Amino acid sequence: SSVELGAFLHGVIDRFDMIVKDENITFVRRIARQPLYVRMDADKVTQVLDNVISNAMKYSPKGGNVVVTLLQRGKQAQISISDQGLGIPKEAQEKVFDRFYRVDKARARNVGGTGLGLAIAQEYIQAHDGEIWISSEYQKGTTVYITLPYTFKGGRG
Ligand code: ATP
Ligand code: MG
């Protein structure tokens, strides 16, 4: 069905804001006011965002910001989720989309997970004719980019 992505993202972040009340994480919203409508399976895209935002929290020390951005780029709506966490070494950046891959044993032991989240995210986003990729600097932070083609752009830029 057709979903207005800005309102949808606010809803996802509202839910995280409620569950992280006691943790030292701040969500920063940079969401375009211009309405962008995307034809998507909202449950699946929710699952993708839940994993990416959970990753940003899991792999960050306490006290970090997680910045969620939505902007229009050509025919795509581009979402990005940035953290100030552990980062991912260059040689691992391709592999994080592989099933069951986790970057290192130490971080894998500290925080739970199966290593499936990003593999599923890639499958779902590609099924929506979108793309997902990572830009990361080891020990500085990570940004995950997701693009989805929009079908309609509302007025009011
Ligand atoms: P699951 O999502 O199945 O619970 P997971 O979080 O380990 O488990 P993915 O979400 O697929 O699996 O992520 C794969 C690996 O990529 C993670 O184990 C982690 O090592 C690394 N990773 C993912 N996101 C980040 C991030 N924001 N910062 C640092 N490392 C990350
Ligand atoms: Mg995960």
Side-chain angles (χ1 to χ4, degrees):
S1 62
S2 191
V3 176
E4 201 286 296
L5 206 51
F8 176 78
L9 274 177
H10 278 297
V12 171
I13 303 164
D14 285 347
R15 180 160 45 77
F16 274 94
D17 264 334
M18 306 220 285
I19 59 181
V20 300
K21 259 200 188 121
D22 302 327
E23 290 174 55
N24 233 333
I25 295 255
T26 307
F27 290 102
V28 178
R29 306 174 192 222
R30 297 198 183 131
I31 296 177
R33 285 200 307 275
Q34 180 174 49
L36 287 172
Y37 289 87
V38 172
R39 206 166 284 132
M40 67 186 203
D41 181 329
D43 288 342
K44 289 192 167 153
V45 177
T46 297
Q47 197 180 320
V48 169
L49 292 169
D50 281 358
N51 175 62
V52 173
I53 295 172
S54 303
N55 285 350
M57 293 167 54
K58 281 202 293 191
Y59 305 113
S60 296
K62 285 195 188 345
N65 286 348
V66 174
V67 182
V68 181
T69 304
L70 171 66
L71 47 83
Q72 176 214 330
R73 274 185 89 98
K75 295 184 165 157
Q76 308 291 317
Q78 181 177 290
I79 301 167
S80 61
I81 296 99
S82 290
D83 65 60
Q84 304 169 304
L86 303 178
I88 302 170
K90 268 256 133 27
E91 64 275 12
Q93 285 175 22
E94 296 270 287
K95 297 183 200 152
V96 295
F97 292 101
D98 293 350
R99 284 188 157 67
F100 305 116
Y101 181 82
R102 307 192 75 202
V103 170
D104 60 56
K105 301 244 159 59
R107 81 170 78 181
R109 217 178 299 117
N110 285 333
V111 286
T114 56
L116 278 172
L118 288 174
I120 293 168
Q122 186 176 54
E123 184 180 313
Y124 285 175
I125 295 301
Q126 288 177 350
H128 284 77
D129 298 318
E131 288 184 64
I132 180 168
W133 70 96
I134 266 182
S135 161
S136 184
E137 209 175 325
Y138 190 47
Q139 287 172 348
K140 289 239 169 102
T142 299
T143 302
V144 176
Y145 294 92
I146 294 167
T147 59
L148 292 166
Y150 64 80
T151 53
F152 174 76
K153 182 170 67 166
R156 206 167 73 93

